[in-house]
Amino acid sequence: AARMFLRLLSDIQWRAAHPKWRRMTNSQRGTSTTAEPHPVSLPAQAQVVICGGGIMGTSVAYHLSKMGWKDIVLLEQGRLAAGTTRFCAGIVSTARPVSVELKMAHYSNKLYQQLEQETGVQTGYMKTGSISLAQTQDRLISLKRIASSLNVMGIPCEIISPKKVLQLHPLINIHDLVGAMYVPEDALVSSANVSLALATAASQNGVQIHERTSVSHVTIQKGRVTGVETDRGRIQCEYFVNCAGQWAYELGHSGEEPVHIPLHACEHFYLLTHPLKEPLSSSLPTVVDPDGRIYIRNWQGGILSGGFEKNPKPLFTEGRNQLEIQNLQEDWDHFGPLLDALLRRMPGLEALQIMQLVNCPESFTPDMRCIMGESPTARGYFVLAGMNSAGISYGGGAGKYLAEWIVNGYPSENVWPLDLKRFGTLQSSRTFLRHRVMEVMPLMCDLKVPRWDFQTGRQLRTSPLYDRLDAQGARWMEKHGFERVKYFVPPGSDLLDLDHSKTFYKPDWFDIVGSEVKCCKEAVCVIDMSSFTKFEISSTGDQALESLQYLFSNDLDVPVGHVVHTGMLNEKGGYENDCSIARLSKRSFFMISPTDQQVHCWTWLKNHLPDDSNLVVEDVTWKYTALNLIGPRAVDVLSELSYAPMTAEHFPSLFCKEMSVGYANGIRVMSITHTGEPGFVLYIPIEYALHVYNEVMNMGQKYGIRNAGYYALRSLRIEKFFAFWGQDLDAFTTPMECGREFQVKLDKGMQFLGQEALWEQKQNGVYKRFTMFILEDHDTDMDLWPWWGEPIYRNGRYVGKTTSSAYSYTLERHVCLGFVHHFDEKTGEELVVTTDFINQGEYEIDIAGQRFQAKAKLYPFSSLFTQRRRKDEVELSGYQRE
Amino acid sequence: FYLTPSQVNSILKANEYSFKVPEFDGKNVSSVLGFDSNQLPANAPIEDRRSAATCLQTRGMLLGVFDGHAGCACAQAVSERLFYYIAVSLLPHETLLEIENAVESGRALLPILQWHKHPNDYFSKEASKLYFNSLRTYWQELIDLNSGETTDVREALINAFKRLDNDISLEAQVGDPNSFLNYLVLRVAFSGATACVAHVDGVDLHIANTGDSRAMLGVQEEDGSWSAVNLSYDHNAQNEHEVERVKMEHPKSEEKSLVKQDRLLGLLMPFRAFGDVKFKWSIELQKRVIESGPDQLNDNEYTKFIPPNYHTPPYLTAEPEVIHHKLRPQDKFLVLATDGLWETMHRQDVARIVGEYLTGVHHQQPIAVGGYKVTLGQMHGLLTERRARISSVFEDQNAATHLIRHAVGNNEFGTVDHERLSKMLSLPEELARMYRDDITIIVVQFNSHVIGAYQNEE
């Protein structure tokens, strides 16, 4: 039955068109499933070996070969496009909330459109458009937000009324709809045929494709891929690409050195019907009804409808490999709720006859985003998998980015949100994955609101103070597996439960965070910031200093005890990391980076530091608990606890010193707070954490000390125009573009990474500029809140997008941070952005289609600073992402 | 006026109790997985009782349901005492000696039973000393009698039943200086109770039954369907053997008056019972005890009334009929229930409902479209119906509760009708007894793996 299905989806005889390819593989597709002798033996070596003949593997092969790489072998354990790809519903949809995903989908759509012409293989491409329905106002808001970002990308898209929905699709029951989004250029394809077309083009470009060849493991020597072992022998290679779909996890674990690829399969069901009496037109738009958790597309005169149920069925947890996905059990009882939703949406289909319920496993990832990039432990080992059931939409774009990554060292877009290195080994626990994907799959249809936290797989990494803080009303969020406090709910006050707290408007914790911010401004607060990534770099001689001087743009040759904020830049001057480095001694440094840098930064250092046994890098993240004492009275608390003067004369800003706090000795105190407010961060060896915390709280009582959380920190930081890495800063942003020239020492007397690019920018100017916007006519209580990703308009023209936002309790206004570009009015070409260009414009921020006036600023409000400081001491650093 | 589903649930679940046999090293080595029990009163107060306990000095588990009549005093006493009598009957000589020595020298007693009780299942504090003394007398006699033979479960059960009934009778004849206790023992003796008790030890299942409660085994056939096997016989007028037995025990002259209107002497439905001394004592004894008894007893017309045609007592016995069954892997569960359940439900339905509940929906046949012509609407209707069935299962965490829900709420199609359920549960106290009887149910779930392993050893 499974094979029959392939025939149903692929109407073409692609082999006939390409006899050459047929000779190479010589597998009798569709006529026999028994293994046959392989006439073409495997090559002994290749530059690139790709494992997996689904949409991902073929797309990577296609793009690599397009970029001129020829020495490529693609291995498929079964037959091409026989896994998830074969069963994919074939909907190419560009309506994606994450910008890079949207770009991938947009590219895929354009690629598939011309693929048939390019290869002669029928792909079934049909531009039908798609309609996303909203049953609630909140859903409509989320659609409007997507529509805003589609429009600025030049993708046609409109918000339409229920009446218009009916005109586009006569079968839809519109009585419970409040509106919809129409994307006319979305398309349908036969995903198996797209995959075969890509394979055909790749093989024409010289890629060797071998079916019925399974990779048993990848060999790695000295941290580099050296080859793959298959059931048909060994292939030596420089690059290996794991596109094994649901088996990517197992394949990653099959070798001696595991590569952790956190994904897990869930069953996914969709329904096929016989044609209607009056067969549906093949150009009828695809319908997505997220509130009903279903999608419906036309299929051979009938429909194809599936969905994402609330109670998914994870499978293959024990890691069973299968050559091809045979027909899994159809489970009608499980599909029941989705069938309810289908018939509620299209009551006229009651009499339509069922053809089949297809059960097609899909792989899901811990954060709903796909996985691509190079393994942090094995150079040359690339991964592209975990598509969260959007494989056909992402296939083209994802393959292109990965091919660029392999050929150029990095893709043409910022793909950090998809980078394998955003995960650590901790997300690779099977139990964690099983539990998390059961939460992730229903989320495909859930409303995506700001400040949303996963509920499963929690309480994994915690600070030693976790229980103490929890008992005091802490509400938690998770970052890289680490529990961090959002805010503290005062005793007696009640917040909404999780489901009801979802909102695009003013959240229920508004006043709670407000009072925490006030306490930071007027007294002193303590925030547990233990999750930060902490490295120690030391050497016997000057190696540490010399290497770091090369890797960081600021001058690290500072007196012992000084703290330096600096970017860790790539060749193009873009931020790979943004950190604070304290010089502990002549030969050792303490480096603090954002929480999710743990894997990425480690890999970067390992790949760039000289292989010198006298130079030691140690990850000491787990060794220290960090307490951030923010506020004007922090100095009093600390001096009383340490019997040491802590005033600015004795302990200037950006300074680091080991001292005693209470009974505990060896506490590393730094005069930074990551907010621009006065105060200190205490790095406490974990066994002292509880003691120091208790001492601080007891002593702090008379100064009005209280606990605070990350939301307060965020508000403080954003109102000070502090950018943070991963949210505002990425590998495509340089210090010059975000007003941080003062953290770059071009003349520090030695070369450093990115120096040339920065020189160039210094001379020629920048093409985008990080800008702060204060919303003017925005009503905090009544209007939609900004989040990030909102389009910025200058004099009515689109100039860029916001990257983060927060309510400033000091300004009593919303602050958005974002990048302003200068597009030529006629050609659209990017021009240099000057200070005058920024200053001489009227700005508006588009929140879900509604525009608010905004005042642009290139420098923070100086009046907000409570203490006068030297300009280069001003702390411009912040790490937290939402 | 209707009760909401949650009100219905709170009524149905008020008395539910579940016990899971604890696991060691992740394994349950007992042939019993655990049990669910529940009661739904019709009388106020309820006259049914239930007990469950694990024997600590011997192996095995005891479970029983007790249906009282003419008040709850006798059922209460039997529910408290019977398992001790059974446990003592099963004890080897050395253990009895050990226990007696401990009592003699004032040392701590070996625990004999571990009770599994719902908070509403109470024990009488006042009578415990009296009950204990009677029990001690019993084991002292057992020690003196030391036969040296290993104890046979069947014999132990019969002895325990008879001995307890005898003690109930004696205590009432002797009386007690404490007026409260004196009245209590008389109420116990003058009221009555049936008992249906299961003793499970490995694959050996013994059912001792006195009266018209019933034990039923749920068996899963190879095709997955459920069938019921009776493990007890009702002792009432419908049971020819019982009628025969009663007639045998009395002169031919009484043949016509023995069973009238399906009742013993035209009065009593069960043909065997604890207490009910009005059917056991001579007329003289009854009169003497009542006259010397407290005024409350004297004022009670029922106790003073002598059954008609009362010539050759005793007419009633507490001696149980014992059935032994070797458990097989297909024996999935045992239902013990008072006649309140069996009046409303056929045992075959009971087997099916409990069986489907315990195996969950996973064993519900999956639907496959195959080559059939099915429309979306037809499939939708089918799924909706299946879901309704499943949801009624999932409402209950307790098999006994689930069974009661069906017993009370089933409509003519065999599915739970909320309207009917609501009506039946909101009947005023005085009317409730006319529509339904007290229902007490224990569902014991067996451990097929362990039973299978036993079988392989043999």
Side-chain angles (χ1 to χ4, degrees):
Chain A
R3 220 172 326 121
M4 179 199 79
F5 184 70
L6 174 63
R7 274 212 309 279
L8 292 172
L9 276 183
S10 67
D11 314 306
I12 51 111
Q13 293 293 313
W14 60 275
R15 276 181 292 127
H18 296 275
K20 175 189 167 201
W21 203 79
R22 180 190 186 187
R23 257 185 286 116
M24 265 177 55
T25 62
N26 196 38
S27 68
Q28 298 294 305
R29 179 176 314 277
T31 55
S32 163
T33 50
T34 54
E36 288 172 32
H38 297 271
V40 180
S41 57
L42 289 187
Q45 60 180 40
Q47 192 177 13
V48 185
V49 172
I50 300 167
C51 174
I55 181 73
M56 291 303 148
T58 52
S59 177
V60 172
Y62 172 88
H63 286 97
L64 277 175
S65 66
K66 281 260 150 159
M67 293 177 79
W69 285 30
K70 304 290 180 194
D71 190 9
I72 299 164
V73 174
L74 188 152
L75 305 177
E76 161 59 45
Q77 59 175 343
R79 292 166 306 158
L80 283 180
T84 302
T85 300
R86 168 165 55 164
F87 291 100
C88 174
I91 300 170
V92 185
S93 150
T94 44
R96 305 283 163 187
V98 180
S99 159
V100 60
E101 292 178 337
L102 197 159
K103 284 175 184 160
M104 290 197 303
H106 185 48
Y107 172 83
S108 301
N109 195 347
K110 286 189 296 188
L111 174 72
Y112 302 159
Q113 190 173 5
Q114 54 82 43
L115 205 55
E116 190 167 326
Q117 200 188 0
E118 180 187 341
T119 64
V121 178
Q122 287 178 27
T123 56
Y125 184 92
M126 175 62 84
K127 195 173 280 184
T128 60
S130 76
I131 312 171
S132 301
L133 309 177
Q135 292 184 27
T136 65
Q137 286 298 339
D138 272 348
R139 177 69 66 184
L140 193 59
I141 290 166
S142 75
L143 293 179
K144 283 177 176 170
R145 291 186 60 96
I146 294 174
S148 287
S149 54
L150 284 174
N151 278 328
V152 297
M153 279 198 58
I155 301 170
C157 169
E158 58 179 316
I159 297 294
I160 57 176
S161 67
K163 231 169 138 183
K164 181 80 193 295
V165 171
L166 199 59
Q167 286 166 14
L168 290 166
H169 200 308
L171 287 173
I172 298 184
N173 164 24
I174 59 163
H175 296 301
D176 55 352
L177 300 183
V178 296
M181 176 176 73
Y182 179 47
V183 186
E185 293 189 353
D186 276 356
L188 293 179
V189 293
S190 154
S191 43
N193 291 349
V194 166
S195 191
L196 297 177
L198 291 170
T200 304
S203 92
Q204 280 168 348
N205 282 334
V207 174
Q208 294 184 54
I209 299 175
H210 295 267
E211 294 182 300
R212 300 181 198 288
T213 308
S214 29
V215 174
S216 67
H217 64 272
V218 177
T219 53
I220 295 160
Q221 271 170 20
K222 290 183 188 162
R224 272 214 76 99
V225 167
T226 55
V228 294
E229 293 292 345
T230 77
D231 56 351
R232 295 174 54 209
R234 178 181 164 79
I235 306 176
Q236 285 196 339
C237 64
E238 286 174 59
Y239 297 94
F240 175 75
V241 188
N242 182 339
C243 295
Q246 347 189 27
W247 317 122
Y249 177 95
E250 277 75 41
L251 180 57
H253 277 78
S254 62
E256 277 175 18
E257 287 179 57
V259 173
H260 300 289
I261 303 163
L263 54 81
H264 193 293
C266 278
E267 293 181 37
H268 173 63
F269 294 92
Y270 64 78
L271 169 81
L272 296 173
T273 73
H274 289 277
L276 270 76
K277 265 206 184 100
E278 194 181 316
L280 283 186
S281 151
S282 63
S283 60
L284 206 60
T286 297
V287 177
V288 182
D289 180 4
D291 299 306
R293 311 191 148 272
I294 51 165
Y295 56 83
I296 309 156
R297 57 161 279 196
N298 75 71
W299 184 75
Q300 303 201 343
I303 60 152
L304 179 163
S305 173
F308 299 96
E309 62 274 22
K310 277 187 186 156
N311 52 337
K313 292 161 78 175
L315 81 168
F316 307 139
T317 304
E318 70 286 359
R320 186 159 50 102
N321 195 338
Q322 290 189 337
L323 281 179
E324 289 165 23
I325 298 158
Q326 296 302 325
N327 248 11
L328 287 157
Q329 278 264 308
E330 55 187 315
D331 187 342
W332 278 100
D333 291 303
H334 193 71
F335 191 72
L338 300 178
L339 182 59
D340 290 353
L342 171 63
L343 288 178
R344 203 175 316 131
R345 187 54 53 217
M346 297 188 181
L349 297 183
E350 283 225 353
L352 192 55
Q353 201 182 315
I354 295 166
M355 176 176 280
Q356 195 186 355
L357 184 66
V358 182
N359 180 353
C360 151
E362 304 256 9
S363 39
F364 293 87
T365 63
D367 59 0
M368 253 189 305
R369 301 196 299 259
C370 74
I371 297 171
M372 70 161 68
E374 191 174 17
S375 156
T377 51
R379 298 210 78 179
Y381 192 122
F382 284 83
V383 178
L384 185 56
M387 290 296 141
N388 297 290
S389 79
I392 200 68
S393 294
Y394 296 154
K400 171 173 169 258
Y401 288 153
L402 195 79
E404 289 172 350
W405 203 329
I406 295 170
V407 174
N408 302 333
Y410 202 76
S412 55
E413 276 291 334
N414 168 38
V415 293
W416 171 247
L418 316 177
D419 193 330
L420 171 63
K421 290 195 281 291
R422 73 189 186 273
F423 296 116
T425 52
L426 58 98
Q427 283 95 351
S428 266
S429 141
R430 284 314 263 175
T431 316
F432 167 82
L433 286 170
R434 184 180 169 89
H435 290 183
R436 176 56 68 81
V437 296
M438 286 176 73
E439 183 182 4
V440 161
M441 182 169 151
L443 277 176
M444 310 309 289
C445 287
D446 283 353
L447 204 56
K448 286 161 193 78
V449 295
R451 299 165 298 268
W452 189 87
D453 302 303
F454 286 104
Q455 301 303 306
T456 53
R458 294 287 299 268
Q459 290 180 320
L460 186 55
R461 299 171 74 200
T462 57
S463 142
L465 303 175
Y466 180 87
D467 280 350
R468 286 295 306 276
L469 302 178
D470 197 56
Q472 295 175 78
R475 292 289 182 276
W476 302 90
M477 61 180 182
E478 167 248 5
K479 181 85 190 177
H480 206 66
F482 210 108
E483 295 291 331
R484 310 198 300 184
V485 181
K486 296 193 281 192
Y487 46 78
F488 286 84
V489 180
S493 70
D494 242 352
L495 286 188
L496 296 168
D497 64 66
L498 202 70
D499 273 345
H500 292 99
S501 64
K502 284 187 170 185
T503 181
F504 291 100
Y505 292 90
K506 181 172 140 181
D508 54 353
W509 45 256
F510 183 79
D511 293 329
I512 292 176
V513 173
S515 64
E516 287 178 9
V517 166
K518 189 164 185 275
C519 186
C520 288
K521 293 268 183 192
E522 294 173 357
V524 54
C525 277
V526 55
I527 304 182
D528 183 344
M529 312 232 297
S530 307
S531 70
F532 278 4
T533 299
K534 303 175 264 296
F535 292 164
E536 270 174 12
I537 301 137
S538 52
S539 60
T540 50
D542 286 339
Q543 299 96 325
L545 177 66
E546 280 167 17
S547 319
L548 295 184
Q549 284 286 56
Y550 174 68
L551 288 180
F552 293 91
S553 58
N554 209 336
D555 189 0
L556 290 170
D557 194 5
V558 289
V560 170
H562 278 237
V563 180
V564 176
H565 291 308
T566 177
M568 184 175 87
L569 310 180
N570 54 31
E571 283 286 346
K572 290 184 220 140
Y575 278 98
E576 289 296 333
N577 188 4
D578 182 31
C579 36
S580 307
I581 299 179
R583 188 163 195 185
L584 298 177
S585 73
K586 280 274 172 214
R587 299 185 173 107
S588 67
F589 296 84
F590 185 59
M591 172 180 173
I592 304 147
S593 326
T595 308
D596 52 358
Q597 275 279 359
Q598 199 168 15
V599 178
H600 178 69
C601 182
W602 179 261
T603 311
W604 186 268
L605 290 180
K606 215 184 57 183
N607 290 346
H608 287 84
L609 287 176
D611 192 11
D612 181 347
S613 58
N614 292 319
L615 177 63
V616 180
V617 184
E618 192 190 356
D619 184 346
V620 293
T621 304
W622 59 276
K623 283 188 180 174
Y624 294 96
T625 296
L627 289 181
N628 193 351
L629 266 65
I630 305 178
R633 309 313 296 268
V635 57
D636 302 307
V637 175
L638 214 52
S639 58
E640 280 209 45
L641 279 174
S642 59
Y643 286 92
M646 299 298 290
T647 52
E649 299 85 65
H650 299 92
F651 207 123
S653 181
L654 289 172
F655 201 68
C656 169
K657 193 154 81 177
E658 279 204 0
M659 50 193 285
S660 62
V661 177
Y663 301 148
N665 217 334
I667 311 297
R668 205 167 274 170
V669 177
M670 291 191 201
S671 47
I672 55 175
T673 61
H674 306 286
T675 59
E677 301 295 330
F680 305 88
V681 179
L682 279 53
Y683 286 91
I684 310 157
I686 52 169
E687 65 265 39
Y688 298 139
L690 199 58
H691 171 74
V692 172
Y693 176 77
N694 288 340
E695 291 291 302
V696 165
M697 292 311 275
N698 287 335
M699 188 57 76
Q701 235 165 20
K702 62 180 171 192
Y703 300 106
I705 200 167
R706 55 177 292 176
N707 291 300
Y710 270 78
Y711 283 7
L713 189 85
R714 251 186 97 247
S715 168
L716 287 168
R717 197 192 40 227
I718 288 178
E719 74 181 15
K720 291 265 173 34
F721 197 13
F722 282 17
F724 49 102
W725 190 89
Q727 183 78 21
D728 306 303
L729 305 181
D730 58 38
F732 288 80
T733 310
T734 72
M736 303 304 190
E737 292 160 349
C738 56
R740 289 185 173 186
E741 210 179 315
F742 66 94
Q743 287 182 9
V744 178
K745 298 290 185 306
L746 287 169
D747 49 0
K748 69 179 172 183
M750 65 175 294
Q751 279 230 311
F752 61 89
L753 258 177
Q755 193 174 24
E756 273 177 47
L758 296 181
W759 260 120
E760 216 258 344
Q761 278 195 333
K762 190 180 166 71
Q763 275 152 6
N764 301 338
V766 294
Y767 290 87
K768 63 179 178 184
R769 193 65 207 263
F770 196 49
T771 311
M772 167 160 146
F773 296 95
I774 322 295
L775 295 191
E776 302 273 289
D777 56 348
H778 182 271
D779 185 331
T780 302
D781 293 319
M782 303 301 294
D783 286 327
L784 284 171
W785 273 33
W787 184 4
W788 51 271
E790 289 90 11
I792 302 165
Y793 290 89
R794 179 184 176 276
N795 299 341
R797 292 174 58 85
Y798 169 74
V799 288
K801 279 186 179 178
T802 65
T803 47
S804 58
S805 74
Y807 179 79
S808 162
Y809 292 88
T810 319
L811 300 169
E812 295 180 325
R813 282 268 177 278
H814 264 285
V815 176
C816 299
L817 309 182
F819 286 92
V820 172
H821 301 250
H822 186 181
F823 300 109
D824 185 273
E825 293 203 11
K826 291 192 186 79
T827 61
E829 186 194 349
E830 284 204 53
L831 304 176
V832 167
V833 179
T834 61
T835 310
D836 282 349
F837 178 79
I838 300 284
N839 290 339
Q840 295 163 2
E842 298 287 324
Y843 290 90
E844 287 170 308
I845 308 288
D846 172 339
I847 307 175
Q850 194 183 349
R851 293 193 189 178
F852 296 92
Q853 287 169 24
K855 208 168 117 198
K857 285 178 67 65
L858 282 172
Y859 299 97
F861 290 93
S862 51
S863 61
L864 285 173
F865 290 81
T866 47
Q867 284 182 346
R868 193 176 56 82
R869 294 172 185 210
R870 288 206 325 273
K871 194 189 168 195
D872 62 349
E873 274 181 3
V874 169
E875 223 189 295
L876 280 168
S877 170
Y879 302 132
Q880 299 66 36
R881 280 183 61 199
E882 271 168 291
Chain B
F1 156 77
Y2 286 118
L3 299 170
T4 63
S6 72
Q7 284 172 317
V8 164
N9 282 346
S10 68
I11 293 173
L12 288 180
K13 292 176 186 213
N15 292 316
E16 72 180 13
Y17 177 80
S18 287
F19 173 76
K20 231 184 115 198
V21 174
E23 297 177 343
F24 298 99
D25 283 345
K27 277 186 200 142
N28 175 359
V29 293
S30 163
S31 57
V32 174
L33 286 172
F35 70 87
D36 291 337
S37 76
N38 199 356
Q39 300 189 297
L40 181 70
N43 292 297
I46 185 168
E47 292 180 348
D48 279 5
R49 292 293 184 272
R50 59 183 157 169
S51 295
T54 304
C55 298
L56 296 176
Q57 301 307 323
T58 55
R59 298 187 311 169
M61 196 166 177
L62 287 163
L63 304 113
V65 294
F66 312 98
D67 184 354
H69 50 264
C72 60
C74 186
Q76 173 63 33
V78 173
S79 75
E80 290 179 42
R81 305 175 71 181
L82 181 59
F83 286 8
Y84 280 114
Y85 279 75
I86 296 171
V88 163
S89 307
L90 287 166
L91 287 179
H93 186 67
E94 312 80 67
T95 318
L96 287 172
L97 273 177
E98 204 177 317
I99 291 173
E100 175 57 22
N101 288 337
V103 177
E104 191 68 28
S105 54
R107 276 185 285 122
L109 222 57
L110 284 175
I112 299 175
L113 292 175
Q114 184 198 352
W115 291 94
H116 312 300
K117 286 196 301 187
H118 186 276
N120 291 357
D121 300 338
Y122 63 94
F123 276 11
S124 157
K125 276 206 184 74
E126 295 79 2
S128 63
K129 185 89 184 103
L130 174 77
Y131 290 167
F132 178 77
N133 287 337
S134 295
L135 182 69
R136 187 180 174 191
T137 312
Y138 177 43
W139 80 54
Q140 284 170 339
E141 281 175 31
L142 286 175
I143 291 172
D144 293 344
L145 272 171
N146 180 18
S147 57
E149 287 167 29
T150 47
T151 330
D152 175 63
V153 179
R154 168 191 299 272
E155 225 169 283
L157 286 165
I158 294 174
N159 290 342
F161 271 62
K162 284 162 77 175
R163 177 67 185 210
L164 173 59
D165 193 49
N166 204 39
D167 283 354
I168 288 172
S169 170
L170 270 178
E171 284 155 9
Q173 291 172 42
V174 174
D176 196 284
N178 175 320
S179 64
F180 175 83
L181 282 180
N182 194 35
Y183 182 46
L184 176 72
V185 294
L186 286 166
R187 273 188 300 143
V188 169
F190 275 91
S191 60
T194 71
C196 186
V197 173
H199 177 265
V200 199
D201 175 10
V203 289
D204 289 307
L205 169 64
H206 285 87
I207 303 288
N209 182 48
T210 286
D212 54 5
S213 291
R214 198 182 285 173
M216 184 213 85
L217 196 62
V219 180
Q220 188 164 33
E221 304 296 340
E222 275 180 14
D223 64 358
S225 66
W226 295 94
S227 62
V229 173
N230 273 350
L231 288 182
S232 68
Y233 302 109
D234 297 350
H235 299 138
N236 59 18
Q238 278 73 47
N239 182 339
E240 281 174 36
H241 297 286
E242 268 308 277
V243 176
E244 208 55 35
R245 175 185 65 81
V246 173
K247 285 182 180 168
M248 287 278 290
E249 288 172 359
H250 297 276
K252 199 132 179 72
S253 56
E254 292 182 45
E255 193 166 308
K256 292 229 170 77
S257 58
L258 271 174
V259 180
K260 280 185 165 172
Q261 293 155 343
D262 284 350
R263 286 163 187 255
L264 190 65
L265 298 179
L267 291 172
L268 197 61
M269 292 248 276
F271 281 24
R272 300 191 196 194
F274 283 92
D276 282 327
V277 290
K278 291 163 55 57
F279 296 86
K280 290 173 180 167
W281 289 352
S282 66
I283 297 179
E284 296 73 40
L285 182 58
Q286 290 192 37
K287 283 189 171 151
R288 182 166 60 75
V289 171
I290 291 168
E291 273 163 23
S292 63
D295 295 340
Q296 299 106 305
L297 199 67
N298 255 316
D299 297 342
N300 188 327
E301 284 304 316
Y302 171 75
T303 48
K304 280 208 282 195
F305 170 79
I306 302 288
N309 305 306
Y310 197 81
H311 306 299
T312 52
Y315 287 89
L316 195 63
T317 176
E319 178 171 340
E321 202 173 358
V322 178
I323 292 180
H324 175 232
H325 176 80
K326 280 254 184 236
L327 288 170
R328 307 157 298 168
Q330 64 265 41
D331 300 333
K332 300 296 183 189
F333 60 89
L334 173 74
V335 179
L336 299 175
T338 54
D339 59 341
L341 174 71
W342 308 110
E343 279 165 13
T344 55
M345 283 185 95
H346 190 267
R347 59 194 164 95
Q348 190 55 45
D349 293 329
V350 171
R352 183 183 52 79
I353 288 167
V354 175
E356 284 177 2
Y357 171 84
L358 290 178
T359 49
V361 279
H362 302 297
H363 287 254
Q364 195 172 15
Q365 282 293 314
I367 308 180
V369 176
Y372 299 105
K373 287 186 177 176
V374 185
T375 68
L376 291 177
Q378 286 166 337
M379 180 58 82
H380 184 237
L382 186 63
L383 293 177
T384 310
E385 190 205 326
R386 281 161 72 94
R387 240 177 294 161
R389 258 170 48 202
I390 292 160
S391 74
S392 79
V393 169
F394 276 123
E395 237 170 313
D396 298 317
Q397 273 87 54
N398 182 303
T401 310
H402 187 63
L403 204 45
I404 291 178
R405 187 186 298 278
H406 277 272
V408 180
N410 263 11
N411 57 20
E412 54 269 43
F413 307 111
T415 55
V416 176
D417 176 351
H418 177 75
E419 203 173 300
R420 185 183 151 86
L421 192 57
S422 164
K423 262 189 205 156
M424 290 293 278
L425 292 179
S426 53
L427 290 172
E429 269 180 18
E430 59 275 19
L431 279 179
R433 185 62 188 87
M434 298 171 67
Y435 288 90
R436 55 186 170 90
D437 195 355
D438 293 336
I439 300 177
T440 299
I441 300 173
I442 299 178
V443 178
V444 187
Q445 207 182 339
F446 295 121
N447 190 340
S448 302
H449 297 291
V450 171
I451 290 170
Y454 268 109
Q455 235 181 11
N456 293 339
E457 277 170 31
E458 280 168 10

